Amino acid sequence: MAKKEDTFKKVISHAKEYGYIFGSSEIYDGLSAVYDYGQNGAELKKNIREYWWKSMVQMHENIVGLDASIFMHPTTWKASGHVDAFNDPLIDNKDSKKRYRADVLIEDHAEKILQKANKEIAKAKKRFGDDFDEEQFKTTNPRVVKYLAENKAILARMGSSLEKEDLEDVKALIEELGIGCPESGSKNWTDVRQFNLMFGTKLGASADSAMDLYLRPETAQGIFVNFLNVQKTGRMKLPFGIAQTGKAFRNEIVARQFIFRMREFEQMEMQFFVRPGEDQKYYEYWKETRLKWHMSLGLGEENYRFHDHDKLAHYANAAADIEFNFPFGFKELEGIHSRTDFDLKAHEEFSGKKLQYFDHELNENYVPYVVETSVGLDRMFLAVFSKSLKEETLEDGSSRTVLKLPAVLAPTKAAILPLVKKDGLPELAREIIGELKWNFNVAYDEKDAVGRRYRRQDANGTPFCITVDHQSLEDKTVTIRDRDTMEQERVAITDLERILEEKTSFKSWLTKLK
Ligand code: ATP
């Protein structure tokens, strides 16, 4: 079995074993692509949401929050284009009966070609060492030039065919590239069809008066329809942003890869309203700012890359993804889109209400342009969780499983462990908990030998273990053990709060952003 698949299986089983993620309604054999977050998962998810919220809303004078409903007037989705254009091109394999997204099949094929180029580049880098000029190599090595050109041509043709709704050409491309069903290898494909991703439902009890509604497929529209409410009541001046986190629903054709692609998921979105003409500037600004936010978590800069879109959504004039190196390769984690004035203008048209801003400096009314940052909370969870899970071989040859979650996000910040269950040590440990729990999530653990308890907390992702021993009774000191370095230090009990604050607070982590 490939190593990547192995790692991913470990991530899924660890998430279940340690109370992070369970399949939904498991006792009824589960529901495809729907998941529940357990006792630890709920905390990690809440901490990621807060890390985002604080960095976006609390740290920016000109960004405010919103909490709009999941149900919206159905015309919203006509105006936004979702009724007509929120489709995925799907294709079925006639032999294996498996259904795929045609664009994903093509993108995966193009990615394989790109990987060939990257392999050549890595080989050359090794051979030439410090003298290696990557840019020059990319433009002169015949094999690399060919791979890069092939990759680009495939994506460009797919982009333009999808834009023109030329689904026949999308199928032709799959056939020309010789793409087979990933499961069976069969090349016996149906035509490509469009499939709308919105979930429909009904509002109201009686059949005649019931209204057809959709579960929102993105949180953004709740922000657009409230643009003037917030701008007027908050007396906001351009440029300013509205941020929101909340559930979104998509009837994904191929929901797979655990919580990477779910049918019910949570988004963290921010719409930044700007003067027309300043959109490119803020698009670049938010691309950089969001990448820095991700990197502040210390999961490794090499695990992020930008992917600029060839195929633009119906509302965008520029779009890029921040891709992350998931256990199954680089995939989209966050989207940054320059949405122009498309949404506000469409809502003006469909509602008949003006959604304009009076710019005192220019002395004119206009519909602002919008730059959006949109990240999936569950995808962020998967990124953080999968990169944190490590198998380490220790100096004595033994191994440990450790979940090196960024301390600011860890569900439990410290476990307090009395060395033995007697002599007043449990009581002192409880006293310490009584103080710390006002500001930190802390746990108590007295079962088994202390070494085993350390291992349990390592696997659980707890960054610090505080051990109360007999010396603690005499001089009011304890040892604090760091999960990652496994080093222990003796510190005064009265210093614990300050130490945990320094190591786990939003301030210590977010100041790295500057
Ligand atoms: P993809 O191409 O992977 O389907 P998208 O481009 O449709 O994603 P957007 O509409 O830009 O995604 O949504 C913004 C973010 O929401 C994505 O970057 C992703 O993190 C998250 N997201 C989108 N769809 C899902 C899903 N089905 N499950 C979990 N997260 C999702």
Side-chain angles (χ1 to χ4, degrees):
M1 186 186 289
K3 201 170 157 287
K4 272 185 180 174
E5 283 169 30
D6 254 357
T7 323
F8 194 31
K9 279 200 172 147
K10 280 205 186 108
V11 166
I12 297 171
S13 65
H14 196 87
K16 173 152 191 211
E17 194 181 338
Y18 285 86
Y20 279 86
I21 299 171
F22 309 125
S24 158
S25 16
E26 250 177 24
I27 58 167
Y28 295 105
D29 295 334
L31 185 63
S32 152
V34 187
Y35 292 91
D36 296 341
Y37 289 86
Q39 67 280 16
N40 278 324
E43 293 287 342
L44 175 56
K45 199 172 166 198
K46 182 195 77 187
N47 291 344
I48 296 174
R49 193 190 293 111
E50 249 177 58
Y51 194 65
W52 182 86
W53 187 270
K54 289 201 173 173
S55 72
M56 297 301 266
V57 180
Q58 194 166 317
M59 300 306 291
H60 286 96
E61 249 177 61
N62 61 348
I63 300 182
V64 291
L66 180 78
D67 185 3
S69 301
I70 288 172
F71 288 145
M72 300 184 68
H73 193 282
T75 311
T76 310
W77 307 110
K78 266 304 247 185
S80 69
H82 283 80
V83 172
D84 298 320
F86 193 53
N87 302 316
D88 273 346
L90 68 83
I91 189 165
D92 291 285
N93 189 279
K94 289 187 199 160
D95 296 325
S96 69
K97 308 276 181 251
K98 294 276 172 202
R99 178 166 283 183
Y100 298 96
R101 260 173 65 176
D103 56 334
V104 171
L105 284 179
I106 297 170
E107 271 167 7
D108 285 351
H109 183 87
E111 176 69 22
K112 276 190 203 135
I113 297 172
L114 184 66
Q115 287 312 329
K116 283 190 196 165
N118 288 343
K119 234 184 221 160
E120 296 283 339
I121 295 168
K123 257 200 299 192
K125 207 183 245 171
K126 219 167 166 188
R127 196 163 359 116
F128 296 115
D130 288 345
D131 296 337
F132 184 60
D133 182 339
E134 186 170 326
E135 284 316 305
Q136 191 191 9
F137 188 75
K138 276 186 184 165
T139 49
T140 52
N141 179 284
R143 262 200 301 259
V144 173
V145 170
K146 178 173 150 274
Y147 291 144
L148 292 179
E150 259 178 54
N151 168 277
K152 215 169 154 195
I154 292 170
L155 294 177
R157 173 155 159 211
M158 179 186 82
S160 92
S161 303
L162 285 175
E163 212 157 315
K164 287 185 296 200
E165 290 270 324
D166 185 354
L167 299 181
E168 271 172 32
D169 191 57
V170 176
K171 180 176 182 190
L173 184 58
I174 288 176
E175 287 176 336
E176 278 168 41
L177 295 171
I179 299 176
C181 164
E183 295 220 354
S184 67
S186 153
K187 294 177 184 165
N188 192 6
W189 296 110
T190 62
D191 287 342
V192 178
R193 282 175 295 141
Q194 293 288 20
F195 176 81
N196 194 287
L197 299 181
M198 283 199 292
F199 282 103
T201 185
K202 283 192 191 300
L203 181 86
S206 82
D208 326 329
S209 62
M211 194 178 195
D212 285 317
L213 289 192
Y214 297 105
L215 297 184
R216 67 179 176 197
E218 63 175 25
T219 56
Q221 298 305 323
I223 294 180
F224 294 128
V225 299
N226 277 297
F227 158 71
L228 262 197
N229 283 338
V230 174
Q231 191 272 320
K232 289 230 155 88
T233 56
R235 294 186 297 137
M236 306 302 291
K237 285 205 168 58
L238 248 51
F240 76 92
I242 304 179
Q244 164 163 243
T245 70
K247 285 273 169 104
F249 303 82
R250 295 181 187 179
N251 197 1
E252 299 281 1
I253 300 167
V254 201
R256 58 189 164 138
Q257 290 163 325
F258 196 35
I259 56 169
F260 180 80
R261 192 176 299 289
M262 304 156 91
R263 299 208 161 102
E264 171 181 343
F265 60 101
E266 193 164 336
Q267 289 187 313
M268 306 190 285
E269 296 200 306
M270 193 277 298
Q271 311 294 329
F272 202 67
F273 299 90
V274 305
R275 255 185 207 166
E278 293 193 340
D279 39 320
Q280 279 309 308
K281 180 175 92 182
Y282 284 108
Y283 171 66
E284 293 302 331
Y285 169 82
W286 280 111
K287 266 176 78 173
E288 292 310 317
T289 306
R290 293 301 306 149
L291 184 64
K292 270 199 223 155
W293 179 85
H294 286 286
M295 288 185 178
S296 74
L297 290 171
L299 300 173
E301 301 196 354
E302 69 286 0
N303 290 315
Y304 300 88
R305 71 181 191 196
F306 280 120
H307 169 241
D308 294 311
H309 283 207
D310 298 302
K311 169 192 132 193
L312 289 175
H314 58 276
Y315 50 76
N317 69 359
D321 298 335
I322 295 175
E323 293 188 337
F324 184 76
N325 191 9
F326 286 98
F328 36 83
F330 273 96
K331 294 272 175 208
E332 170 174 347
L333 171 60
E334 168 154 7
I336 292 110
H337 307 125
S338 177
R339 295 182 78 125
T340 68
D341 55 1
F342 174 87
D343 302 270
L344 290 179
K345 272 220 167 117
H347 288 304
E348 275 199 329
E349 193 187 313
F350 279 78
S351 68
K353 312 258 160 55
K354 282 218 170 320
L355 291 173
Q356 301 192 354
Y357 172 79
F358 182 71
D359 189 324
H360 286 276
E361 268 172 44
L362 301 180
N363 202 25
E364 65 177 82
N365 269 311
Y366 54 77
V367 178
Y369 270 48
V370 174
V371 176
E372 162 184 81
T373 73
S374 174
V375 57
L377 175 48
D378 314 84
R379 262 189 211 181
M380 194 58 209
F381 188 115
L382 182 59
V384 170
F385 192 89
S386 60
K387 266 298 167 266
S388 301
L389 186 61
K390 314 255 188 223
E391 277 302 320
E392 285 183 350
T393 308
L394 305 178
E395 270 170 22
D396 65 1
S398 65
S399 67
R400 69 162 182 163
T401 302
V402 52
L403 187 62
K404 292 186 166 178
L405 295 173
V408 63
L409 303 181
T412 305
K413 302 303 184 203
I416 324 296
L417 322 173
L419 190 63
V420 289
K421 271 191 260 182
K422 54 182 185 185
D423 304 339
L425 300 187
E427 288 76 8
L428 181 54
R430 293 273 182 211
E431 238 177 75
I432 295 173
I433 288 184
E435 278 303 310
L436 293 178
K437 73 178 179 190
W438 292 94
N439 287 323
F440 308 97
N441 251 351
V442 287
Y444 178 81
D445 191 1
E446 60 173 23
K447 198 166 175 292
D448 301 323
V450 79
R452 285 190 63 183
R453 282 181 266 168
Y454 285 155
R455 289 288 176 278
R456 193 151 62 221
Q457 295 300 334
D458 285 347
N460 211 41
T462 311
F464 301 100
C465 281
I466 295 167
T467 306
V468 179
D469 55 17
H470 290 92
Q471 190 183 330
S472 311
L473 298 172
E474 286 160 27
D475 64 4
K476 297 286 176 227
T477 63
V478 288
T479 61
I480 180 163
R481 172 188 178 270
D482 183 302
R483 175 197 63 199
D484 300 345
T485 62
M486 296 194 292
E487 272 166 22
Q488 300 190 26
E489 204 188 332
R490 208 153 187 111
V491 302
I493 292 173
T494 48
D495 281 344
L496 284 174
E497 198 162 336
R498 178 185 54 77
I499 296 171
L500 286 186
E501 173 73 19
E502 271 169 23
K503 306 257 190 203
T504 71
S505 74
F506 287 100
K507 186 171 179 188
S508 331
W509 285 74
L510 280 175
T511 39
K512 287 191 223 148
L513 278 179
K514 283 184 189 151

